[in-house]
Amino acid sequence: MTRALGAGLRRVVRAADPVSGRLKGTEAQLAGLVERGLAFRHPRAPHGHFLTPAGHRVREGEDDAEGRSGPEPEGGASGGGTSGSRASGGVFAARVGGEEEAAEGGAARVREVRSAWQGLLELRRMSHPDGATDRPCGWERGHLVQAAALALEAAGHRPAGADAEDGGYRVRETPQPEAVAVYEAEGEALRACAATLEAAGWQAGEYTEPRTRTRYLLASPRRA
């Protein structure tokens, strides 16, 4: 459980850069925000501190004073110095399609997804030596289904509910390395998903399952 924020920590959060989420404060204040899952320390010099998506929501006044955490960057470097975001305590998870509650949304969910996507773009910027945000980072390659689903949901695509015949996207694992399958009931909607993924830095091709003749996308993160 995260502890309630004091006035001092809340002032630090509110003073964060509104775009990058970069924080200024004492070492004790910054460490306190990291402990609560509201900030992370970048693994590369000069080791600045930045808001996590949960921290951005607290800054925007969308979470209560306890600072409940959502997807947050992992503090250490991995596989070439990248860092990523993860669902914490089940509070946030990109909808991959097929969930019972997938048809439900509302303004709160839109804000939550927007915050997660903005946080992921910031992680891309900090992970790539050239600061690029147009291609996936290491975390996305390690969490393919979640990453692809987040890109689709953030762009406004509707995840499928329990009944796939009602439409909506479904993202599934595949036996192929670094590839996911994306399904949609309608061909036009499937092509729209392909366009969204390609704009988000993925490669997507349309294929047909030999046995069922179902059309689907095979999508993988672009490297360059």
mmCIF file of all heavy atoms in Angstrom, residues 69-110:
data_model
loop_
_atom_site.group_PDB
_atom_site.id
_atom_site.type_symbol
_atom_site.label_atom_id
_atom_site.label_comp_id
_atom_site.label_asym_id
_atom_site.label_seq_id
_atom_site.Cartn_x
_atom_site.Cartn_y
_atom_site.Cartn_z
ATOM 1 N N SER A 69 -0.964 3.763 -7.438
ATOM 2 C CA SER A 69 -0.063 3.676 -8.587
ATOM 3 C C SER A 69 -0.677 2.918 -9.735
ATOM 4 O O SER A 69 -1.441 1.978 -9.541
ATOM 5 C CB SER A 69 1.255 3.013 -8.181
ATOM 6 O OG SER A 69 1.017 1.710 -7.706
ATOM 7 N N GLY A 70 -0.335 3.358 -10.961
ATOM 8 C CA GLY A 70 -0.719 2.677 -12.175
ATOM 9 C C GLY A 70 0.518 2.121 -12.827
ATOM 10 O O GLY A 70 1.463 1.748 -12.143
ATOM 11 N N PRO A 71 0.582 2.072 -14.180
ATOM 12 C CA PRO A 71 1.769 1.556 -14.826
ATOM 13 C C PRO A 71 2.936 2.470 -14.533
ATOM 14 O O PRO A 71 2.810 3.682 -14.602
ATOM 15 C CB PRO A 71 1.402 1.577 -16.315
ATOM 16 C CG PRO A 71 0.344 2.598 -16.409
ATOM 17 C CD PRO A 71 -0.409 2.559 -15.118
ATOM 18 N N GLU A 72 4.081 1.920 -14.170
ATOM 19 C CA GLU A 72 5.196 2.735 -13.776
ATOM 20 C C GLU A 72 6.475 2.194 -14.363
ATOM 21 O O GLU A 72 6.611 0.989 -14.550
ATOM 22 C CB GLU A 72 5.312 2.794 -12.251
ATOM 23 C CG GLU A 72 5.567 1.436 -11.627
ATOM 24 C CD GLU A 72 5.445 1.454 -10.125
ATOM 25 O OE1 GLU A 72 4.586 2.176 -9.611
ATOM 26 O OE2 GLU A 72 6.197 0.740 -9.482
ATOM 27 N N PRO A 73 7.449 3.068 -14.645
ATOM 28 C CA PRO A 73 8.697 2.602 -15.200
ATOM 29 C C PRO A 73 9.481 1.794 -14.194
ATOM 30 O O PRO A 73 9.451 2.073 -13.002
ATOM 31 C CB PRO A 73 9.444 3.901 -15.552
ATOM 32 C CG PRO A 73 8.387 4.947 -15.607
ATOM 33 C CD PRO A 73 7.353 4.515 -14.605
ATOM 34 N N GLU A 74 10.212 0.782 -14.679
ATOM 35 C CA GLU A 74 11.089 0.023 -13.831
ATOM 36 C C GLU A 74 12.363 0.814 -13.662
ATOM 37 O O GLU A 74 12.920 1.337 -14.601
ATOM 38 C CB GLU A 74 11.384 -1.343 -14.466
ATOM 39 C CG GLU A 74 10.124 -2.178 -14.593
ATOM 40 C CD GLU A 74 10.330 -3.400 -15.445
ATOM 41 O OE1 GLU A 74 11.437 -3.557 -15.988
ATOM 42 O OE2 GLU A 74 9.396 -4.192 -15.559
ATOM 43 N N GLY A 75 12.857 0.899 -12.448
ATOM 44 C CA GLY A 75 13.923 1.824 -12.146
ATOM 45 C C GLY A 75 15.254 1.478 -12.756
ATOM 46 O O GLY A 75 16.083 2.344 -12.952
ATOM 47 N N GLY A 76 15.559 0.228 -13.052
ATOM 48 C CA GLY A 76 16.887 -0.134 -13.511
ATOM 49 C C GLY A 76 16.966 -0.251 -15.002
ATOM 50 O O GLY A 76 15.975 -0.300 -15.701
ATOM 51 N N ALA A 77 18.200 -0.305 -15.494
ATOM 52 C CA ALA A 77 18.417 -0.503 -16.921
ATOM 53 C C ALA A 77 18.287 -1.963 -17.251
ATOM 54 O O ALA A 77 18.586 -2.829 -16.457
ATOM 55 C CB ALA A 77 19.815 0.008 -17.301
ATOM 56 N N SER A 78 17.836 -2.244 -18.462
ATOM 57 C CA SER A 78 17.733 -3.629 -18.888
ATOM 58 C C SER A 78 17.936 -3.683 -20.381
ATOM 59 O O SER A 78 17.380 -2.888 -21.115
ATOM 60 C CB SER A 78 16.352 -4.209 -18.536
ATOM 61 O OG SER A 78 15.334 -3.516 -19.193
ATOM 62 N N GLY A 79 18.712 -4.656 -20.832
ATOM 63 C CA GLY A 79 18.886 -4.866 -22.263
ATOM 64 C C GLY A 79 19.258 -3.618 -23.009
ATOM 65 O O GLY A 79 18.531 -3.155 -23.852
ATOM 66 N N GLY A 80 20.405 -3.008 -22.685
ATOM 67 C CA GLY A 80 20.826 -1.824 -23.431
ATOM 68 C C GLY A 80 20.321 -0.549 -22.817
ATOM 69 O O GLY A 80 20.205 0.465 -23.482
ATOM 70 N N GLY A 81 19.982 -0.567 -21.517
ATOM 71 C CA GLY A 81 19.657 0.661 -20.822
ATOM 72 C C GLY A 81 18.234 1.115 -20.984
ATOM 73 O O GLY A 81 17.930 2.259 -20.724
ATOM 74 N N THR A 82 17.326 0.265 -21.417
ATOM 75 C CA THR A 82 15.940 0.681 -21.544
ATOM 76 C C THR A 82 15.225 0.451 -20.238
ATOM 77 O O THR A 82 15.602 -0.360 -19.425
ATOM 78 C CB THR A 82 15.228 -0.122 -22.647
ATOM 79 O OG1 THR A 82 15.236 -1.496 -22.288
ATOM 80 C CG2 THR A 82 15.894 0.091 -23.973
ATOM 81 N N SER A 83 14.130 1.183 -20.060
ATOM 82 C CA SER A 83 13.262 0.946 -18.930
ATOM 83 C C SER A 83 11.853 0.916 -19.444
ATOM 84 O O SER A 83 11.571 1.304 -20.558
ATOM 85 C CB SER A 83 13.442 2.040 -17.870
ATOM 86 O OG SER A 83 13.411 3.310 -18.441
ATOM 87 N N GLY A 84 10.914 0.436 -18.627
ATOM 88 C CA GLY A 84 9.587 0.256 -19.151
ATOM 89 C C GLY A 84 8.530 0.600 -18.151
ATOM 90 O O GLY A 84 8.803 1.156 -17.105
ATOM 91 N N SER A 85 7.276 0.249 -18.449
ATOM 92 C CA SER A 85 6.187 0.471 -17.523
ATOM 93 C C SER A 85 5.495 -0.838 -17.279
ATOM 94 O O SER A 85 5.486 -1.724 -18.114
ATOM 95 C CB SER A 85 5.204 1.506 -18.096
ATOM 96 O OG SER A 85 4.661 1.064 -19.300
ATOM 97 N N ARG A 86 4.917 -0.955 -16.097
ATOM 98 C CA ARG A 86 4.261 -2.199 -15.751
ATOM 99 C C ARG A 86 3.023 -1.898 -14.935
ATOM 100 O O ARG A 86 2.952 -0.885 -14.245
ATOM 101 C CB ARG A 86 5.206 -3.092 -14.936
ATOM 102 C CG ARG A 86 5.695 -2.462 -13.658
ATOM 103 C CD ARG A 86 6.698 -3.364 -12.962
ATOM 104 N NE ARG A 86 7.309 -2.683 -11.835
ATOM 105 C CZ ARG A 86 6.804 -2.632 -10.629
ATOM 106 N NH1 ARG A 86 5.633 -3.190 -10.376
ATOM 107 N NH2 ARG A 86 7.426 -2.012 -9.648
ATOM 108 N N ALA A 87 2.053 -2.788 -14.987
ATOM 109 C CA ALA A 87 0.879 -2.620 -14.156
ATOM 110 C C ALA A 87 1.259 -2.916 -12.724
ATOM 111 O O ALA A 87 1.948 -3.864 -12.436
ATOM 112 C CB ALA A 87 -0.233 -3.574 -14.605
ATOM 113 N N SER A 88 0.858 -2.072 -11.792
ATOM 114 C CA SER A 88 1.192 -2.235 -10.392
ATOM 115 C C SER A 88 -0.073 -2.528 -9.618
ATOM 116 O O SER A 88 -1.001 -1.755 -9.611
ATOM 117 C CB SER A 88 1.853 -0.963 -9.864
ATOM 118 O OG SER A 88 2.079 -1.046 -8.490
ATOM 119 N N GLY A 89 -0.087 -3.666 -8.925
ATOM 120 C CA GLY A 89 -1.227 -4.005 -8.100
ATOM 121 C C GLY A 89 -2.495 -4.206 -8.884
ATOM 122 O O GLY A 89 -3.584 -4.177 -8.321
ATOM 123 N N GLY A 90 -2.401 -4.412 -10.190
ATOM 124 C CA GLY A 90 -3.592 -4.648 -10.982
ATOM 125 C C GLY A 90 -4.399 -3.401 -11.250
ATOM 126 O O GLY A 90 -5.528 -3.483 -11.719
ATOM 127 N N VAL A 91 -3.871 -2.200 -10.927
ATOM 128 C CA VAL A 91 -4.642 -0.980 -11.089
ATOM 129 C C VAL A 91 -4.842 -0.656 -12.560
ATOM 130 O O VAL A 91 -5.905 -0.259 -12.983
ATOM 131 C CB VAL A 91 -3.946 0.183 -10.351
ATOM 132 C CG1 VAL A 91 -4.663 1.497 -10.625
ATOM 133 C CG2 VAL A 91 -3.933 -0.097 -8.857
ATOM 134 N N PHE A 92 -3.804 -0.817 -13.355
ATOM 135 C CA PHE A 92 -3.932 -0.526 -14.775
ATOM 136 C C PHE A 92 -3.407 -1.691 -15.592
ATOM 137 O O PHE A 92 -2.369 -2.270 -15.271
ATOM 138 C CB PHE A 92 -3.159 0.725 -15.179
ATOM 139 C CG PHE A 92 -3.213 0.980 -16.662
ATOM 140 C CD1 PHE A 92 -4.256 1.697 -17.208
ATOM 141 C CD2 PHE A 92 -2.245 0.466 -17.507
ATOM 142 C CE1 PHE A 92 -4.332 1.912 -18.580
ATOM 143 C CE2 PHE A 92 -2.305 0.676 -18.876
ATOM 144 C CZ PHE A 92 -3.357 1.402 -19.410
ATOM 145 N N ALA A 93 -4.104 -2.010 -16.647
ATOM 146 C CA ALA A 93 -3.618 -2.952 -17.651
ATOM 147 C C ALA A 93 -4.290 -2.577 -18.964
ATOM 148 O O ALA A 93 -5.494 -2.313 -19.004
ATOM 149 C CB ALA A 93 -3.951 -4.399 -17.274
ATOM 150 N N ALA A 94 -3.506 -2.509 -20.017
ATOM 151 C CA ALA A 94 -4.091 -2.258 -21.330
ATOM 152 C C ALA A 94 -5.061 -3.390 -21.659
ATOM 153 O O ALA A 94 -4.806 -4.553 -21.343
ATOM 154 C CB ALA A 94 -2.996 -2.175 -22.383
ATOM 155 N N ARG A 95 -6.161 -3.069 -22.292
ATOM 156 C CA ARG A 95 -7.176 -4.077 -22.604
ATOM 157 C C ARG A 95 -6.809 -4.793 -23.898
ATOM 158 O O ARG A 95 -6.733 -4.181 -24.953
ATOM 159 C CB ARG A 95 -8.551 -3.419 -22.700
ATOM 160 C CG ARG A 95 -9.041 -2.983 -21.326
ATOM 161 C CD ARG A 95 -10.330 -2.213 -21.368
ATOM 162 N NE ARG A 95 -10.801 -1.960 -20.014
ATOM 163 C CZ ARG A 95 -11.718 -1.064 -19.708
ATOM 164 N NH1 ARG A 95 -12.273 -0.328 -20.663
ATOM 165 N NH2 ARG A 95 -12.096 -0.873 -18.466
ATOM 166 N N VAL A 96 -6.576 -6.082 -23.791
ATOM 167 C CA VAL A 96 -6.127 -6.866 -24.937
ATOM 168 C C VAL A 96 -7.300 -7.411 -25.745
ATOM 169 O O VAL A 96 -7.102 -7.955 -26.831
ATOM 170 C CB VAL A 96 -5.208 -8.021 -24.489
ATOM 171 C CG1 VAL A 96 -4.006 -7.481 -23.731
ATOM 172 C CG2 VAL A 96 -5.959 -9.042 -23.655
ATOM 173 N N GLY A 97 -8.522 -7.272 -25.238
ATOM 174 C CA GLY A 97 -9.709 -7.778 -25.918
ATOM 175 C C GLY A 97 -10.133 -9.110 -25.340
ATOM 176 O O GLY A 97 -9.317 -9.984 -25.072
ATOM 177 N N GLY A 98 -11.437 -9.257 -25.140
ATOM 178 C CA GLY A 98 -11.972 -10.484 -24.573
ATOM 179 C C GLY A 98 -12.335 -10.369 -23.112
ATOM 180 O O GLY A 98 -12.918 -11.295 -22.542
ATOM 181 N N GLU A 99 -12.011 -9.232 -22.469
ATOM 182 C CA GLU A 99 -12.367 -9.043 -21.070
ATOM 183 C C GLU A 99 -13.873 -8.791 -20.932
ATOM 184 O O GLU A 99 -14.498 -8.207 -21.809
ATOM 185 C CB GLU A 99 -11.601 -7.856 -20.474
ATOM 186 C CG GLU A 99 -10.093 -7.977 -20.508
ATOM 187 C CD GLU A 99 -9.467 -7.359 -21.752
ATOM 188 O OE1 GLU A 99 -10.204 -7.149 -22.749
ATOM 189 O OE2 GLU A 99 -8.259 -7.094 -21.720
ATOM 190 N N GLU A 100 -14.426 -9.205 -19.842
ATOM 191 C CA GLU A 100 -15.858 -9.019 -19.623
ATOM 192 C C GLU A 100 -16.233 -7.540 -19.595
ATOM 193 O O GLU A 100 -17.294 -7.156 -20.067
ATOM 194 C CB GLU A 100 -16.264 -9.670 -18.288
ATOM 195 C CG GLU A 100 -16.213 -11.183 -18.282
ATOM 196 C CD GLU A 100 -17.290 -11.811 -19.155
ATOM 197 O OE1 GLU A 100 -18.275 -11.113 -19.467
ATOM 198 O OE2 GLU A 100 -17.146 -12.995 -19.514
ATOM 199 N N GLU A 101 -15.340 -6.704 -19.030
ATOM 200 C CA GLU A 101 -15.667 -5.293 -18.867
ATOM 201 C C GLU A 101 -15.135 -4.433 -19.988
ATOM 202 O O GLU A 101 -15.127 -3.213 -19.891
ATOM 203 C CB GLU A 101 -15.099 -4.779 -17.535
ATOM 204 C CG GLU A 101 -13.582 -4.609 -17.508
ATOM 205 C CD GLU A 101 -12.838 -5.902 -17.262
ATOM 206 O OE1 GLU A 101 -13.478 -6.969 -17.284
ATOM 207 O OE2 GLU A 101 -11.613 -5.850 -17.053
ATOM 208 N N ALA A 102 -14.644 -5.050 -21.084
ATOM 209 C CA ALA A 102 -13.955 -4.283 -22.122
ATOM 210 C C ALA A 102 -14.835 -3.218 -22.761
ATOM 211 O O ALA A 102 -14.331 -2.208 -23.224
ATOM 212 C CB ALA A 102 -13.431 -5.224 -23.202
ATOM 213 N N ALA A 103 -16.167 -3.432 -22.805
ATOM 214 C CA ALA A 103 -17.043 -2.455 -23.449
ATOM 215 C C ALA A 103 -17.203 -1.198 -22.605
ATOM 216 O O ALA A 103 -17.648 -0.171 -23.088
ATOM 217 C CB ALA A 103 -18.401 -3.069 -23.735
ATOM 218 N N GLU A 104 -16.862 -1.272 -21.293
ATOM 219 C CA GLU A 104 -17.028 -0.141 -20.408
ATOM 220 C C GLU A 104 -15.810 0.769 -20.515
ATOM 221 O O GLU A 104 -14.689 0.316 -20.645
ATOM 222 C CB GLU A 104 -17.211 -0.618 -18.967
ATOM 223 C CG GLU A 104 -18.427 -1.520 -18.784
ATOM 224 C CD GLU A 104 -18.539 -2.044 -17.370
ATOM 225 O OE1 GLU A 104 -17.716 -1.627 -16.523
ATOM 226 O OE2 GLU A 104 -19.427 -2.857 -17.122
ATOM 227 N N GLY A 105 -16.047 2.054 -20.479
ATOM 228 C CA GLY A 105 -14.938 2.986 -20.582
ATOM 229 C C GLY A 105 -15.192 4.197 -19.732
ATOM 230 O O GLY A 105 -15.118 4.140 -18.521
ATOM 231 N N GLY A 106 -15.498 5.296 -20.378
ATOM 232 C CA GLY A 106 -15.755 6.516 -19.655
ATOM 233 C C GLY A 106 -14.526 7.400 -19.587
ATOM 234 O O GLY A 106 -13.418 7.025 -19.970
ATOM 235 N N ALA A 107 -14.740 8.618 -19.075
ATOM 236 C CA ALA A 107 -13.673 9.614 -19.053
ATOM 237 C C ALA A 107 -12.490 9.175 -18.211
ATOM 238 O O ALA A 107 -11.337 9.451 -18.548
ATOM 239 C CB ALA A 107 -14.231 10.942 -18.539
ATOM 240 N N ALA A 108 -12.753 8.489 -17.096
ATOM 241 C CA ALA A 108 -11.648 8.075 -16.229
ATOM 242 C C ALA A 108 -10.721 7.107 -16.948
ATOM 243 O O ALA A 108 -9.497 7.205 -16.843
ATOM 244 C CB ALA A 108 -12.200 7.442 -14.949
ATOM 245 N N ARG A 109 -11.310 6.171 -17.697
ATOM 246 C CA ARG A 109 -10.486 5.219 -18.434
ATOM 247 C C ARG A 109 -9.708 5.921 -19.544
ATOM 248 O O ARG A 109 -8.523 5.611 -19.778
ATOM 249 C CB ARG A 109 -11.369 4.118 -19.028
ATOM 250 C CG ARG A 109 -10.609 3.074 -19.845
ATOM 251 C CD ARG A 109 -9.651 2.274 -18.996
ATOM 252 N NE ARG A 109 -8.842 1.360 -19.802
ATOM 253 C CZ ARG A 109 -7.958 0.515 -19.286
ATOM 254 N NH1 ARG A 109 -7.771 0.453 -17.987
ATOM 255 N NH2 ARG A 109 -7.257 -0.280 -20.082
ATOM 256 N N VAL A 110 -10.328 6.868 -20.215
ATOM 257 C CA VAL A 110 -9.638 7.612 -21.270
ATOM 258 C C VAL A 110 -8.426 8.326 -20.694
ATOM 259 O O VAL A 110 -7.329 8.300 -21.270
ATOM 260 C CB VAL A 110 -10.596 8.613 -21.942
ATOM 261 C CG1 VAL A 110 -9.828 9.552 -22.869
ATOM 262 C CG2 VAL A 110 -11.670 7.866 -22.725
#
